[in-house]
mmCIF file with all atom_site columns, all heavy atoms in Angstrom:
data_model
loop_
_atom_site.group_PDB
_atom_site.id
_atom_site.type_symbol
_atom_site.label_atom_id
_atom_site.label_alt_id
_atom_site.label_comp_id
_atom_site.label_asym_id
_atom_site.label_entity_id
_atom_site.label_seq_id
_atom_site.pdbx_PDB_ins_code
_atom_site.Cartn_x
_atom_site.Cartn_y
_atom_site.Cartn_z
_atom_site.occupancy
_atom_site.B_iso_or_equiv
_atom_site.pdbx_formal_charge
_atom_site.auth_seq_id
_atom_site.auth_comp_id
_atom_site.auth_asym_id
_atom_site.auth_atom_id
_atom_site.pdbx_PDB_model_num
ATOM 1   N N   . GLN A 1 5  ? 20.519 21.454 -46.615 1.00 51.00 ? 5  GLN A N   1
ATOM 2   C CA  . GLN A 1 5  ? 19.272 22.220 -46.499 1.00 51.00 ? 5  GLN A CA  1
ATOM 3   C C   . GLN A 1 5  ? 18.094 21.414 -47.031 1.00 51.00 ? 5  GLN A C   1
ATOM 4   O O   . GLN A 1 5  ? 17.011 21.386 -46.442 1.00 51.00 ? 5  GLN A O   1
ATOM 5   C CB  . GLN A 1 5  ? 19.377 23.524 -47.283 1.00 51.00 ? 5  GLN A CB  1
ATOM 6   C CG  . GLN A 1 5  ? 19.956 24.655 -46.419 1.00 51.00 ? 5  GLN A CG  1
ATOM 7   C CD  . GLN A 1 5  ? 20.195 25.909 -47.224 1.00 51.00 ? 5  GLN A CD  1
ATOM 8   O OE1 . GLN A 1 5  ? 20.067 25.902 -48.446 1.00 51.00 ? 5  GLN A OE1 1
ATOM 9   N NE2 . GLN A 1 5  ? 20.558 26.969 -46.537 1.00 51.00 ? 5  GLN A NE2 1
ATOM 10  N N   . ILE A 1 6  ? 18.337 20.741 -48.156 1.00 46.00 ? 6  ILE A N   1
ATOM 11  C CA  . ILE A 1 6  ? 17.251 19.946 -48.745 1.00 46.00 ? 6  ILE A CA  1
ATOM 12  C C   . ILE A 1 6  ? 16.848 18.825 -47.793 1.00 46.00 ? 6  ILE A C   1
ATOM 13  O O   . ILE A 1 6  ? 15.667 18.602 -47.521 1.00 46.00 ? 6  ILE A O   1
ATOM 14  C CB  . ILE A 1 6  ? 17.677 19.370 -50.121 1.00 46.00 ? 6  ILE A CB  1
ATOM 15  C CG1 . ILE A 1 6  ? 17.830 20.530 -51.123 1.00 46.00 ? 6  ILE A CG1 1
ATOM 16  C CG2 . ILE A 1 6  ? 16.647 18.364 -50.620 1.00 46.00 ? 6  ILE A CG2 1
ATOM 17  C CD1 . ILE A 1 6  ? 18.473 20.145 -52.423 1.00 46.00 ? 6  ILE A CD1 1
ATOM 18  N N   . ILE A 1 7  ? 17.855 18.152 -47.217 1.00 46.00 ? 7  ILE A N   1
ATOM 19  C CA  . ILE A 1 7  ? 17.557 17.049 -46.282 1.00 46.00 ? 7  ILE A CA  1
ATOM 20  C C   . ILE A 1 7  ? 16.752 17.544 -45.109 1.00 46.00 ? 7  ILE A C   1
ATOM 21  O O   . ILE A 1 7  ? 15.753 16.963 -44.712 1.00 46.00 ? 7  ILE A O   1
ATOM 22  C CB  . ILE A 1 7  ? 18.870 16.371 -45.811 1.00 46.00 ? 7  ILE A CB  1
ATOM 23  C CG1 . ILE A 1 7  ? 19.481 15.601 -46.979 1.00 46.00 ? 7  ILE A CG1 1
ATOM 24  C CG2 . ILE A 1 7  ? 18.592 15.393 -44.654 1.00 46.00 ? 7  ILE A CG2 1
ATOM 25  C CD1 . ILE A 1 7  ? 20.919 15.164 -46.756 1.00 46.00 ? 7  ILE A CD1 1
ATOM 26  N N   . TRP A 1 8  ? 17.179 18.696 -44.549 1.00 49.00 ? 8  TRP A N   1
ATOM 27  C CA  . TRP A 1 8  ? 16.439 19.259 -43.400 1.00 49.00 ? 8  TRP A CA  1
ATOM 28  C C   . TRP A 1 8  ? 14.992 19.580 -43.777 1.00 49.00 ? 8  TRP A C   1
ATOM 29  O O   . TRP A 1 8  ? 14.057 19.285 -43.027 1.00 49.00 ? 8  TRP A O   1
ATOM 30  C CB  . TRP A 1 8  ? 17.113 20.552 -42.903 1.00 49.00 ? 8  TRP A CB  1
ATOM 31  C CG  . TRP A 1 8  ? 18.121 20.262 -41.832 1.00 49.00 ? 8  TRP A CG  1
ATOM 32  C CD1 . TRP A 1 8  ? 19.468 20.399 -41.920 1.00 49.00 ? 8  TRP A CD1 1
ATOM 33  C CD2 . TRP A 1 8  ? 17.849 19.760 -40.528 1.00 49.00 ? 8  TRP A CD2 1
ATOM 34  N NE1 . TRP A 1 8  ? 20.081 20.013 -40.751 1.00 49.00 ? 8  TRP A NE1 1
ATOM 35  C CE2 . TRP A 1 8  ? 19.096 19.614 -39.882 1.00 49.00 ? 8  TRP A CE2 1
ATOM 36  C CE3 . TRP A 1 8  ? 16.692 19.404 -39.859 1.00 49.00 ? 8  TRP A CE3 1
ATOM 37  C CZ2 . TRP A 1 8  ? 19.214 19.139 -38.591 1.00 49.00 ? 8  TRP A CZ2 1
ATOM 38  C CZ3 . TRP A 1 8  ? 16.795 18.940 -38.563 1.00 49.00 ? 8  TRP A CZ3 1
ATOM 39  C CH2 . TRP A 1 8  ? 18.045 18.815 -37.953 1.00 49.00 ? 8  TRP A CH2 1
ATOM 40  N N   . GLY A 1 9  ? 14.823 20.167 -44.944 1.00 43.00 ? 9  GLY A N   1
ATOM 41  C CA  . GLY A 1 9  ? 13.478 20.552 -45.416 1.00 43.00 ? 9  GLY A CA  1
ATOM 42  C C   . GLY A 1 9  ? 12.591 19.330 -45.520 1.00 43.00 ? 9  GLY A C   1
ATOM 43  O O   . GLY A 1 9  ? 11.452 19.309 -45.038 1.00 43.00 ? 9  GLY A O   1
ATOM 44  N N   . VAL A 1 10 ? 13.134 18.273 -46.145 1.00 44.00 ? 10 VAL A N   1
ATOM 45  C CA  . VAL A 1 10 ? 12.345 17.044 -46.336 1.00 44.00 ? 10 VAL A CA  1
ATOM 46  C C   . VAL A 1 10 ? 11.996 16.440 -44.981 1.00 44.00 ? 10 VAL A C   1
ATOM 47  O O   . VAL A 1 10 ? 10.842 16.078 -44.728 1.00 44.00 ? 10 VAL A O   1
ATOM 48  C CB  . VAL A 1 10 ? 13.132 16.035 -47.204 1.00 44.00 ? 10 VAL A CB  1
ATOM 49  C CG1 . VAL A 1 10 ? 12.425 14.684 -47.226 1.00 44.00 ? 10 VAL A CG1 1
ATOM 50  C CG2 . VAL A 1 10 ? 13.290 16.566 -48.615 1.00 44.00 ? 10 VAL A CG2 1
ATOM 51  N N   . LEU A 1 11 ? 13.005 16.373 -44.104 1.00 42.00 ? 11 LEU A N   1
ATOM 52  C CA  . LEU A 1 11 ? 12.769 15.799 -42.762 1.00 42.00 ? 11 LEU A CA  1
ATOM 53  C C   . LEU A 1 11 ? 11.667 16.541 -42.025 1.00 42.00 ? 11 LEU A C   1
ATOM 54  O O   . LEU A 1 11 ? 10.756 15.950 -41.456 1.00 42.00 ? 11 LEU A O   1
ATOM 55  C CB  . LEU A 1 11 ? 14.056 15.885 -41.933 1.00 42.00 ? 11 LEU A CB  1
ATOM 56  C CG  . LEU A 1 11 ? 14.894 14.627 -41.860 1.00 42.00 ? 11 LEU A CG  1
ATOM 57  C CD1 . LEU A 1 11 ? 16.154 14.902 -41.028 1.00 42.00 ? 11 LEU A CD1 1
ATOM 58  C CD2 . LEU A 1 11 ? 14.093 13.481 -41.241 1.00 42.00 ? 11 LEU A CD2 1
ATOM 59  N N   . PHE A 1 12 ? 11.761 17.868 -42.044 1.00 41.00 ? 12 PHE A N   1
ATOM 60  C CA  . PHE A 1 12 ? 10.801 18.709 -41.314 1.00 41.00 ? 12 PHE A CA  1
ATOM 61  C C   . PHE A 1 12 ? 9.390  18.487 -41.861 1.00 41.00 ? 12 PHE A C   1
ATOM 62  O O   . PHE A 1 12 ? 8.427  18.311 -41.106 1.00 41.00 ? 12 PHE A O   1
ATOM 63  C CB  . PHE A 1 12 ? 11.219 20.174 -41.450 1.00 41.00 ? 12 PHE A CB  1
ATOM 64  C CG  . PHE A 1 12 ? 10.489 21.075 -40.501 1.00 41.00 ? 12 PHE A CG  1
ATOM 65  C CD1 . PHE A 1 12 ? 10.652 20.921 -39.130 1.00 41.00 ? 12 PHE A CD1 1
ATOM 66  C CD2 . PHE A 1 12 ? 9.629  22.064 -40.964 1.00 41.00 ? 12 PHE A CD2 1
ATOM 67  C CE1 . PHE A 1 12 ? 9.980  21.742 -38.242 1.00 41.00 ? 12 PHE A CE1 1
ATOM 68  C CE2 . PHE A 1 12 ? 8.955  22.877 -40.083 1.00 41.00 ? 12 PHE A CE2 1
ATOM 69  C CZ  . PHE A 1 12 ? 9.129  22.722 -38.725 1.00 41.00 ? 12 PHE A CZ  1
ATOM 70  N N   . THR A 1 13 ? 9.268  18.456 -43.196 1.00 41.00 ? 13 THR A N   1
ATOM 71  C CA  . THR A 1 13 ? 7.957  18.253 -43.814 1.00 41.00 ? 13 THR A CA  1
ATOM 72  C C   . THR A 1 13 ? 7.393  16.886 -43.410 1.00 41.00 ? 13 THR A C   1
ATOM 73  O O   . THR A 1 13 ? 6.216  16.743 -43.080 1.00 41.00 ? 13 THR A O   1
ATOM 74  C CB  . THR A 1 13 ? 8.080  18.304 -45.364 1.00 41.00 ? 13 THR A CB  1
ATOM 75  O OG1 . THR A 1 13 ? 8.902  19.408 -45.693 1.00 41.00 ? 13 THR A OG1 1
ATOM 76  C CG2 . THR A 1 13 ? 6.721  18.454 -46.023 1.00 41.00 ? 13 THR A CG2 1
ATOM 77  N N   . LEU A 1 14 ? 8.283  15.870 -43.432 1.00 42.00 ? 14 LEU A N   1
ATOM 78  C CA  . LEU A 1 14 ? 7.835  14.518 -43.074 1.00 42.00 ? 14 LEU A CA  1
ATOM 79  C C   . LEU A 1 14 ? 7.320  14.458 -41.637 1.00 42.00 ? 14 LEU A C   1
ATOM 80  O O   . LEU A 1 14 ? 6.277  13.881 -41.359 1.00 42.00 ? 14 LEU A O   1
ATOM 81  C CB  . LEU A 1 14 ? 8.980  13.514 -43.241 1.00 42.00 ? 14 LEU A CB  1
ATOM 82  C CG  . LEU A 1 14 ? 9.220  13.032 -44.669 1.00 42.00 ? 14 LEU A CG  1
ATOM 83  C CD1 . LEU A 1 14 ? 10.459 12.144 -44.706 1.00 42.00 ? 14 LEU A CD1 1
ATOM 84  C CD2 . LEU A 1 14 ? 8.006  12.283 -45.194 1.00 42.00 ? 14 LEU A CD2 1
ATOM 85  N N   . ILE A 1 15 ? 8.086  15.099 -40.726 1.00 42.00 ? 15 ILE A N   1
ATOM 86  C CA  . ILE A 1 15 ? 7.676  15.089 -39.305 1.00 42.00 ? 15 ILE A CA  1
ATOM 87  C C   . ILE A 1 15 ? 6.329  15.768 -39.149 1.00 42.00 ? 15 ILE A C   1
ATOM 88  O O   . ILE A 1 15 ? 5.420  15.239 -38.523 1.00 42.00 ? 15 ILE A O   1
ATOM 89  C CB  . ILE A 1 15 ? 8.740  15.778 -38.411 1.00 42.00 ? 15 ILE A CB  1
ATOM 90  C CG1 . ILE A 1 15 ? 9.983  14.902 -38.326 1.00 42.00 ? 15 ILE A CG1 1
ATOM 91  C CG2 . ILE A 1 15 ? 8.202  16.033 -37.000 1.00 42.00 ? 15 ILE A CG2 1
ATOM 92  C CD1 . ILE A 1 15 ? 11.178 15.568 -37.684 1.00 42.00 ? 15 ILE A CD1 1
ATOM 93  N N   . LEU A 1 16 ? 6.173  16.934 -39.791 1.00 37.00 ? 16 LEU A N   1
ATOM 94  C CA  . LEU A 1 16 ? 4.903  17.662 -39.667 1.00 37.00 ? 16 LEU A CA  1
ATOM 95  C C   . LEU A 1 16 ? 3.750  16.837 -40.238 1.00 37.00 ? 16 LEU A C   1
ATOM 96  O O   . LEU A 1 16 ? 2.682  16.721 -39.636 1.00 37.00 ? 16 LEU A O   1
ATOM 97  C CB  . LEU A 1 16 ? 4.976  18.995 -40.424 1.00 37.00 ? 16 LEU A CB  1
ATOM 98  C CG  . LEU A 1 16 ? 5.643  20.143 -39.677 1.00 37.00 ? 16 LEU A CG  1
ATOM 99  C CD1 . LEU A 1 16 ? 5.550  21.425 -40.507 1.00 37.00 ? 16 LEU A CD1 1
ATOM 100 C CD2 . LEU A 1 16 ? 4.966  20.384 -38.328 1.00 37.00 ? 16 LEU A CD2 1
ATOM 101 N N   . ALA A 1 17 ? 4.002  16.219 -41.396 1.00 40.00 ? 17 ALA A N   1
ATOM 102 C CA  . ALA A 1 17 ? 2.934  15.471 -42.067 1.00 40.00 ? 17 ALA A CA  1
ATOM 103 C C   . ALA A 1 17 ? 2.500  14.270 -41.245 1.00 40.00 ? 17 ALA A C   1
ATOM 104 O O   . ALA A 1 17 ? 1.329  13.877 -41.261 1.00 40.00 ? 17 ALA A O   1
ATOM 105 C CB  . ALA A 1 17 ? 3.418  15.014 -43.441 1.00 40.00 ? 17 ALA A CB  1
#
Side-chain angles (χ1 to χ4, degrees):
Q5 271 174 352
I6 292 170
I7 290 166
W8 269 112
V10 171
L11 261 178
F12 193 63
T13 315
L14 279 175
I15 289 170
L16 278 184

